[in-house]
Amino acid sequence: MGNTTMEALAKAGTSAWLDDLSRQRLTSGDLKNLIDELRVVGVTTNPAIFSSAMTAGEDYDSQLAQLTAERANPADAVFAMAIDDVRDACDLFAGVSEGTDGVDGRVSIEVDPRYADNYEATIAQARELWERVGKRNAMIKIPATDASLPAVTQALSEGISVNVTLIFSVERYLQVIDAFIEGIERAKDNGVDLASVHSVASLFVSRVDTEIDARLEKIGSEEALALRGKAGLANARAAYAKFEETFSSQNIRWAQLENAGAKPQRLLWASTGVKNPAYPDTLYVTELAAPQTVNTMPEKTLRAAAGFEGEVRDAVSGQGEAANAVMTQLSEIGIDLDDVFAVLEREGVEKFVDSWQSLLVSIAQRMEQLHEPC
């Protein structure tokens, strides 16, 4: 039996994806249960997620022992194990993918975060991961950095479905839209079946509130404190207004692509687990329900959303003007939004690099243990 709240979220237009993947979730049937019970229709992963999965328990030991015997290096070993998990998850979501014409049933795998400022390395690995996973319902995650945005365009032009990640500002989101549309235009010129190419733009939400709330508290005025917890939603709603404006039949450039079979690049709400315990667990879920969106949630947030007892409705459409007003208030009170978003993007890349490096060290140590004679 499905969950009524998750059904209402889906009816409002938001697809629920799980922001987690592990071998244990796959082999235990846990992920299948979330699909059946809570309408989970996709999965996202990142270096931090795989770091947690691969360094806990013994689920990967057998494969890691084989990779050690084959003299794989730690990075190759991590990708080999991650690719197997993603491939198996893609198979699990195959029915969802088929039933939604490829819109949902997606499983994302991210390029090495150390390549965020290296176009050539990013596009090369995007091609490699797409080929090695070998599933049409996979998505390759590429960060929305200056150097990697051209890789987004190139990947799409080759028919690779892309999850553009680490987006924080509306300005950066507009650049992501441009990269997407250019990529789809080039795919059309290349003879790619546009209906087979899918993309999401992952806008991070809670981290915006964390950074701006800290700055508001430093200002400390009554007016500043009253704005706490409002930036994340406002920023997301302002971005959605740009989504509505771009992916409209009134936009001739997009309409031509849509008529050729292209599907819009949906906005995906990422970082939706609340960081401030004073905020409702479902703040970045129920308040961001909207048509043609995705919300990727850690399990804690997913279960909180499933237990929500209020009304779930479109809380985003038509809110662009009000959202922009909040962002203007923040600027006027002294919040340097350009600096906020620059800090968040830099820290976002650094956090993933740190998780990746930590994982490689742990895997290297485990491989050394497995290599030692008994």
Side-chain angles (χ1 to χ4, degrees), residues 87-369:
R87 188 185 295 121
D88 289 346
C90 283
D91 288 342
L92 189 58
F93 281 104
V96 174
S97 178
E98 183 178 351
T100 60
D101 196 23
V103 173
D104 283 316
R106 293 278 159 181
V107 184
S108 296
I109 183 170
E110 189 160 349
V111 298
D112 189 324
R114 296 173 298 182
Y115 297 162
D117 294 321
N118 186 327
Y119 163 79
E120 294 294 345
T122 295
I123 188 60
Q125 192 170 72
R127 290 168 177 149
E128 178 188 359
L129 290 174
W130 182 251
E131 182 177 352
R132 288 180 64 186
V133 173
K135 301 292 182 179
R136 298 302 300 177
N137 58 325
M139 268 187 171
I140 308 304
K141 287 182 78 173
I142 298 175
T145 56
D146 288 327
S148 290
L149 279 175
V152 170
T153 297
Q154 184 59 34
L156 291 165
S157 77
E158 298 175 14
I160 298 172
S161 293
V162 177
N163 177 340
V164 191
T165 189
L166 288 178
I167 306 169
F168 294 96
S169 70
V170 174
E171 289 72 22
R172 181 65 87 184
Y173 172 55
L174 290 174
Q175 293 175 339
V176 170
I177 289 177
D178 286 342
F180 167 75
I181 291 181
E182 182 181 346
I184 297 300
E185 287 173 337
R186 284 162 52 177
K188 182 173 180 289
D189 293 340
N190 291 338
V192 173
D193 176 12
L194 300 189
S196 71
V197 187
H198 295 260
S199 184
V200 293
S202 295
L203 186 83
F204 283 53
V205 186
S206 68
R207 293 190 196 179
V208 173
D209 271 337
T210 299
E211 180 67 24
I212 290 181
D213 281 2
R215 298 187 185 208
L216 289 169
E217 288 167 3
K218 188 174 182 179
I219 293 171
S221 68
E222 183 177 344
E223 184 180 8
L225 297 178
L227 289 169
R228 288 178 298 180
K230 294 185 177 181
L233 294 178
N235 192 53
R237 289 167 176 164
Y240 188 82
K242 298 299 183 183
F243 167 85
E244 291 180 302
E245 181 181 318
T246 301
F247 298 103
S248 161
S249 59
Q250 304 304 311
N251 182 343
I252 302 303
R253 187 183 181 193
W254 168 248
Q256 291 175 337
L257 293 172
E258 188 171 43
N259 289 337
K263 292 184 171 63
Q265 180 187 57
R266 291 188 295 171
L267 263 168
L268 179 150
W269 311 129
S271 182
T272 55
V274 295
K275 306 296 191 293
N276 187 334
Y279 298 157
D281 287 346
T282 60
L283 178 66
Y284 305 121
V285 180
T286 58
E287 292 302 313
L288 288 176
Q292 298 190 81
T293 59
V294 178
N295 196 308
T296 187
M297 301 170 247
E299 184 173 357
K300 179 181 177 182
T301 302
L302 177 67
R303 293 199 176 279
F308 181 72
E309 297 182 352
E311 180 185 5
V312 177
R313 80 291 183 224
D314 179 356
V316 182
S317 299
Q319 297 296 313
E321 186 175 342
N324 287 327
V326 171
M327 302 309 286
T328 298
Q329 282 181 282
L330 289 165
S331 293
E332 290 176 344
I333 208 167
I335 301 298
D336 184 343
L337 294 174
D338 288 340
D339 183 67
V340 166
F341 296 130
V343 166
L344 288 171
E345 181 177 301
R346 183 176 67 253
E347 290 182 348
V349 172
E350 289 173 353
K351 287 176 181 178
F352 281 167
V353 169
D354 289 346
S355 293
W356 183 255
Q357 298 280 30
S358 176
L359 174 58
L360 294 183
V361 169
S362 296
I363 292 299
Q365 292 172 344
R366 184 63 183 136
M367 293 177 82
E368 285 181 10
Q369 294 170 354

